Amino acid sequence: MKTAGPRDVPTRMGLDLTPFRGLRYNPDRVRSLAAVTSPPYDVVVRPDGLHHLESADPHNIVRLILPQAPTPAARNEQAAHTLHRWLAEGVLTADSEPGFYVYEQRGDGLLQRGVIGALRVSEPSAGVVLPHEDVMPHIVADRAALMRATRANLEPLLLTYRGDGPGTGATAVIERTSGRSPLVCTTTEDGFDHRLWAVTDPAEISEVQRDLTRHQAMIADGHHRWATYLRLRAEHASPSPWDYGLVLLVDTARYPLRVRAIHRLLHRLPVADALSTLTGLFRVRDLRVPLADALDALAEAARAGNAFLLAGDGAFHLVDQPSPDLLARTVPADRPDAWRTLDATVLHAALLEEVWHIPDSPEHIAYIHDTAATVEKAERDGGTAVLLHPVREDVVRELARQGVTMPRKSTSFGPKPASGLVLRALTPPDAL
């Protein structure tokens, strides 16, 4: 491991985005581009979703982002070997010249466009890239080991910024580029259309770079990978390719994101045991209704305060109106009110830690984005699904501006970029 040296910090402020030679699938070597893509690693439902992706195509990107082997070291070695083999066999090929990549997602009534590039990594204290959630150290360690082994950024983070309008800067380049013929055009099984274009013209690259230096960004999805970038940057003397990390930047003034909740699955807590501890601490109402109606009831209750849905026993249980005394003795008082009243804050501080005594570890808690999958796994495994209502984006941004991080896995911004459309090698692709 190299000793970290002084950082080659850019003199200009704001986002410092650099073009790169993307690694992309050769469409002649795979069944289809849709068959080799995947949701981000932390969205894949395991084991069912993982097995589904593995069977879709022998070259599905999930074999790199979630390699399967008996030990962590073996998993990372396998991913590195797989990446090298795919490059040698021409399954993945490097583009001939560096550039940015304009990426479009369309579906479910949404249109999102952004630019993919290698972004200079910076600490939160620099105020350039703002996190809004805490991270779990064991996940950062896991992702860092995988990136060290593969020497690649295998999937982009999702960052947001507020541009100045469609006629200027990066947004203007994105709009012009989207009218051209794309490099990649595919539809994934969730019904979303994906298109990718390369931006290699030096004038357009400079136009994007000049504009982004005037902006800061917020991490919408990928806090653990950003923390991984920071860790790996610190391990290498600068200047180094590890000074940069792969990101998708979306101008949410032009393309607002959708915010959803991330739910909890409590592996070792049956619903009956969870409910038996809530007497006098929360109001509990049993709902014998379909999932959609239960979520509507959760949304209504959330307008008045903290509310959760418990599931796993064939019914839904609406839990709301927490005891003020419980909140006073469990929720830290040294944070802004907007943080203290978050559902995720109350869930972790009052319910998980104080009432249920559940440690925040993979053996006890799984974080799942898909609502129906969370309920199904709870019912199948005898655990408890805790369903949350989404946090408003303005609350997330304001806390991020104040430097206050939310409890981990508090939000799910989307649509998320599909993994597998473009990768970034940390060493020249020909040397991998």
Side-chain angles (χ1 to χ4, degrees), residues 138-159:
H138 74 277
I139 295 181
V140 176
D142 175 76
R143 291 293 102 183
L146 179 63
M147 286 191 204
R148 286 190 204 100
T150 58
R151 296 189 62 82
N153 299 150
L154 301 172
E155 46 187 347
L157 284 66
L158 174 60
L159 305 185

Side-chain angles (χ1 to χ4, degrees), residues 89-348:
E89 294 173 352
V91 174
L92 287 171
T93 59
D95 285 331
S96 58
E97 55 185 325
F100 295 137
Y101 295 85
V102 169
Y103 176 44
E104 176 187 283
Q105 293 164 277
R106 187 190 297 265
D108 195 22
L110 293 172
L111 171 63
Q112 178 173 289
R113 293 186 181 127
V115 59
I116 296 174
L119 183 67
R120 183 179 288 274
V121 178
S122 61
E123 298 285 349
S125 58
V128 177
V129 176
L130 305 177
H132 71 267
E133 288 184 355
D134 293 330
V135 298
M136 292 176 267
H138 74 277
I139 295 181
V140 176
D142 175 76
R143 291 293 102 183
L146 179 63
M147 286 191 204
R148 286 190 204 100
T150 58
R151 296 189 62 82
N153 299 150
L154 301 172
E155 46 187 347
L157 284 66
L158 174 60
L159 305 185
T160 71
Y161 71 101
R162 304 287 291 179
D164 301 319
T168 61
T171 303
V173 173
I174 290 168
E175 297 305 305
R176 289 199 303 270
T177 303
S178 66
R180 303 167 186 165
S181 179
L183 292 172
V184 172
C185 185
T186 189
T187 301
T188 46
E189 64 181 7
D190 59 4
F192 270 81
D193 297 324
H194 305 262
R195 298 200 293 171
L196 191 76
W197 297 260
V199 178
T200 57
D201 180 80
E204 291 191 318
I205 289 173
S206 295
E207 187 176 355
V208 171
Q209 290 176 315
R210 284 195 304 271
D211 179 31
L212 292 178
T213 59
R214 301 183 299 105
H215 297 289
Q216 67 176 187
M218 184 183 76
I219 302 173
D221 184 69
H223 284 81
H224 290 90
R225 282 166 285 166
W226 185 258
T228 299
Y229 290 168
L230 286 168
R231 174 178 293 193
L232 295 174
R233 183 190 69 159
E235 295 176 0
H236 296 81
S238 183
S240 158
W242 299 92
D243 291 343
Y244 296 83
L246 186 63
V247 305
L248 165 65
L249 280 161
V250 173
D251 173 9
T252 52
R254 176 72 169 159
Y255 298 106
L257 297 185
R258 178 176 57 195
V259 188
R260 288 179 170 172
I262 301 177
H263 310 297
R264 276 64 169 159
L265 173 60
L266 311 181
H267 297 298
R268 302 180 181 179
L269 182 67
V271 175
D273 293 349
L275 294 172
S276 68
T277 61
L278 300 183
T279 303
L281 300 177
F282 287 83
R283 182 175 66 170
V284 178
R285 288 174 284 169
D286 296 335
L287 306 176
R288 298 284 177 175
V289 297
L291 174 58
D293 293 340
L295 291 174
D296 288 342
L298 174 62
E300 181 65 30
R303 293 191 182 97
N306 300 118
F308 313 95
L309 269 181
L310 306 190
D313 61 351
F316 296 100
H317 310 275
L318 183 60
V319 175
D320 65 353
Q321 295 186 7
S323 159
D325 290 342
L326 174 66
L327 299 183
R329 73 172 187 269
T330 60
V331 177
D334 60 346
R335 302 287 185 91
D337 285 345
W339 181 90
R340 299 183 73 251
T341 55
L342 289 169
D343 287 337
T345 298
V346 172
L347 172 61
H348 282 262

Side-chain angles (χ1 to χ4, degrees), residues 23 25 29 59 61 63-64 75-93 146-152 154 242 423-432:
L23 300 181
Y25 279 101
R29 297 299 307 273
H59 302 107
I61 191 68
R63 297 180 186 276
L64 298 182
R75 289 196 294 270
N76 297 328
E77 182 180 350
Q78 177 177 292
H81 175 75
T82 300
L83 175 59
H84 295 167
R85 178 166 53 84
W86 289 356
L87 287 166
E89 294 173 352
V91 174
L92 287 171
T93 59
L146 179 63
M147 286 191 204
R148 286 190 204 100
T150 58
R151 296 189 62 82
L154 301 172
W242 299 92
L423 293 67
R424 173 180 175 252
L426 272 297
T427 54
D430 297 337
L432 278 172

Side-chain angles (χ1 to χ4, degrees), residues 360-421:
D360 193 355
S361 66
E363 295 78 17
H364 295 271
I365 303 176
Y367 293 83
I368 304 178
H369 294 71
D370 186 276
T371 308
T374 311
V375 175
E376 290 167 6
K377 285 180 69 66
E379 292 179 345
R380 185 174 61 210
D381 301 341
T384 294
V386 183
L387 308 183
L388 286 80
H389 186 66
V391 183
R392 297 196 322 272
E393 183 179 358
D394 62 306
V395 173
V396 178
R397 286 191 174 277
E398 183 54 35
L399 287 173
R401 289 192 186 99
Q402 296 178 45
V404 178
T405 53
M406 300 164 63
R408 42 187 164 251
K409 300 295 184 182
S410 294
T411 60
S412 176
F413 283 86
K416 303 178 189 302
S419 298
L421 294 178

